[in-house]
Amino acid sequence: MIAGVDAAPDAGYARGAHHRRLLILRDSWVEALRHLRAMPRSPELLVYAAVQPVMFVVMFVYVFGGAIMVPDYDDYKQFLIPGIFAQTVLWGSAFTGVGLAEDLTKGIVDRLRSLPIAQGAVLIGRTLSDLVRNILTFVMMIGLALLVGFRFDGTVSGAVMATLLLLAFSYAFSWIQAWIGLSVKTVEAANSGGFIWMFPLTFVSSAFVSPSTMPGWLQPVAEHNPFTTLTDATRALYNGREAGNDPWIALGWAVAITVVFAVVATRKFAATAKR
């Protein structure tokens, strides 16, 4: 039994659209709480989520940083850290796919489907709880960034806007990972499938170096990469520089990815549960 969910038939879903939306919100919150309550029992997941970005910070700041020159930035840390922030929240979204694949293999999804709850709430609750996990990881990364010498040189409103953009992208990519997790048959496949495409996405971008230093044929790919738009927007906002239209374009990417993959993941969830 899922805490807070009545197993008796819920006539509310047969009522009006407004009432159904309220019930979906209620069920999503209950499902999110189920994952959040389990989080303290697995603190190692939070630690492991922070280990990779910590390694990237140490490696690029103290090993490669001295040899990397970027235009318009005298201090490489001011260029690098916003890219690490963006990479952290995107890689953290991979937990969604792995978690859903694990729930499928353990039969938890089938158990949830037997309850009188909104089916979409299962995915919404999962993505929201993983967003909270990503926020906790992001807070730890802010502490590390300050420790290595990064400084927020922009305005408070700019920093808040940049952070919200990062979290919006994190939530959007959780829906991609949800679709991947529902499309594979094992947790191992979800883990591999969730990470393998994020390497070229994050490295062929402006996260670590300027795209102008890449081969000519690769520069257009990096420059039109949505991750580059996100990184450029947050970098400008955190450093108090002119961001142009990048924040709005990044927000547009986040909204578009969320809408598209929420639809395909929900359809995949229904199809998967029928197997």
Side-chain angles (χ1 to χ4, degrees):
M1 176 69 67
I2 305 302
V5 177
D6 188 355
D10 196 333
Y13 291 106
R15 299 177 187 172
H18 177 67
H19 195 69
R20 284 198 296 273
R21 283 195 289 271
L22 291 178
L23 291 175
I24 290 174
L25 289 176
R26 180 203 66 180
D27 295 343
S28 299
W29 175 242
V30 172
E31 178 64 7
L33 282 181
R34 180 173 77 89
H35 296 294
L36 292 175
R37 285 169 178 156
M39 200 176 296
R41 294 196 292 270
S42 303
E44 66 274 10
L45 291 179
L46 196 59
V47 173
Y48 291 151
V51 166
Q52 280 186 329
V54 168
M55 291 173 62
F56 273 100
V57 169
V58 172
M59 187 166 58
F60 276 90
V61 170
Y62 297 111
V63 179
F64 301 135
I68 298 177
M69 303 299 292
V70 291
D72 301 327
Y73 283 86
D74 296 329
D75 188 346
Y76 181 58
K77 291 190 288 293
Q78 295 299 123
F79 180 91
L80 170 71
I81 295 299
I84 295 289
F85 284 161
Q87 185 195 45
T88 299
V89 296
L90 254 66
W91 286 23
S93 67
F95 282 101
T96 302
V98 174
L100 276 172
E102 186 175 20
D103 284 351
L104 279 169
T105 56
K106 290 182 176 178
I108 295 177
V109 169
D110 290 337
R111 180 72 182 97
L112 289 171
R113 282 183 56 83
S114 71
L115 299 174
I117 63 174
Q119 299 303 303
V122 176
L123 298 181
I124 296 173
R126 164 67 70 172
T127 52
L128 287 178
S129 63
D130 288 337
L131 178 62
V132 173
R133 188 202 309 273
N134 249 343
I135 291 174
L136 295 176
T137 306
F138 180 68
V139 170
M140 289 191 290
M141 290 307 301
I142 289 177
L144 176 66
L146 295 174
L147 191 64
V148 300
F150 176 76
R151 294 295 178 264
F152 294 94
D153 291 334
T155 62
V156 173
S157 59
V160 170
M161 186 183 301
T163 302
L164 291 178
L165 271 179
L166 290 172
L167 297 180
F169 250 76
S170 169
Y171 188 70
F173 273 66
S174 277
W175 283 101
I176 297 179
Q177 297 290 358
W179 174 72
I180 293 174
L182 294 168
S183 301
V184 299
K185 295 183 178 180
T186 66
V187 176
E188 292 79 7
N191 189 37
S192 299
F195 270 108
I196 193 168
W197 58 275
M198 285 200 287
F199 278 93
L201 181 74
T202 54
F203 280 94
V204 185
S205 72
S206 66
F208 302 98
V209 297
S210 170
S212 63
T213 64
M214 300 177 186
W217 61 269
L218 196 57
Q219 289 181 19
V221 179
E223 290 167 352
H224 293 87
N225 182 345
F227 190 77
T228 292
T229 306
L230 172 66
T231 303
D232 289 347
T234 54
R235 179 179 291 132
L237 291 169
Y238 281 140
N239 283 290
R241 301 190 177 199
E242 179 59 45
N245 292 324
D246 283 342
W248 299 110
I249 297 174
L251 181 62
W253 271 111
V255 171
I257 292 171
T258 301
V259 171
V260 170
F261 280 92
V263 171
V264 297
T266 301
R267 289 180 177 176
K268 191 67 181 178
F269 178 80
T272 302
K274 291 176 181 177
R275 291 187 306 193

